[in-house]
Amino acid sequence: MARRRGWGGSPPADDEEASQRIVAAAVDLIDRTGAEINIADVAQSLGVIRQTVYRYFPSADALMRAAAIASVEGFLERLTRQVAGLDDPVEAMTEGVVYTLAEVRRTPHLGILLSSTYSNPHPEAIASEEAWMFGMAMIKRFDVDWEEHGYDDDSLAELVEYVLRTMQSFFVSPGTPPRSDDDLRRYLRRWMGTAMLAQREWDSGNPAKRDCSPVESGS
């Protein structure tokens, strides 16, 4: 049970509520400041000591990961509005990537879904289940008939991995100077778009993906 002290005079009923309130406080602080925060910042906003927050989250990275996951649904709702009506896979994906990278810059904790930690990005995190679920949830919000454009479950999973790796590269190393949103759109349409458009041709030329009709026996 959460200790009955602090919490602005309204202590949580149990550990689950305490954890939820800590995460909510972290999300609120990040939204208001647009900057990195630490355990001390969150503790102060809740009127508790740092040890209370550490009791539920062993590190700032653990807390920021929880904050990122808690923020995903709100991000996906905003993304859905941004790409509404775009039924071309290249246009929808281009706009989705540009918007996501812009949101990551505005809300730093979302960057955890493209790297392993809040404080020290690492490339291997792109293979995490959280990152894959984030990417799959993104493309499921698009008004794109993926099957009509030659994508089955396997190729969609590979597309998600490809797009996550692309976004991570721009997140970790945006360039000097970073591309503007319009320049990034042009770049993505040319290179990512070309790869996406090749999907149907690759499918038809890949024996493992072809439909195999049964061979009729001769008379």
Side-chain angles (χ1 to χ4, degrees), residues 20-65:
Q20 290 172 350
R21 286 174 63 177
I22 291 168
V23 171
V27 171
D28 179 64
L29 276 172
I30 296 168
D31 287 344
R32 285 194 286 111
T33 66
E36 294 184 10
I37 62 173
N38 55 42
I39 295 290
D41 295 328
V42 177
Q44 183 177 16
S45 74
L46 290 166
V48 299
I49 61 175
R50 284 180 298 173
Q51 285 72 13
T52 300
V53 178
Y54 278 120
R55 184 164 175 258
Y56 300 97
F57 297 95
S59 66
D61 282 331
L63 177 53
M64 293 306 101
R65 185 171 294 278

Side-chain angles (χ1 to χ4, degrees), residues 3-24:
R3 294 181 180 177
R4 300 277 171 175
R5 8 176 115 164
W7 303 98
S10 178
D14 53 30
D15 284 339
E16 181 177 0
E17 183 184 344
S19 178
Q20 290 172 350
R21 286 174 63 177
I22 291 168
V23 171

Side-chain angles (χ1 to χ4, degrees), residues 128-144:
S128 73
E129 183 178 358
E130 288 169 355
W132 186 86
M133 290 177 65
F134 173 67
M136 187 60 72
M138 276 182 58
I139 68 170
K140 292 291 188 182
R141 296 295 184 105
F142 296 168
D143 290 335
V144 175

Side-chain angles (χ1 to χ4, degrees), residues 76-110:
L76 290 174
E77 290 175 2
R78 296 190 298 274
L79 174 68
T80 300
R81 292 192 293 270
Q82 183 71 18
V83 300
L86 297 177
D87 57 4
D88 177 82
V90 173
E91 289 304 310
M93 189 65 78
T94 296
E95 196 59 37
V97 169
V98 171
Y99 182 77
T100 299
L101 289 171
E103 281 287 286
V104 166
R105 290 193 295 270
R106 285 192 290 267
T107 49
H109 58 303
L110 283 174

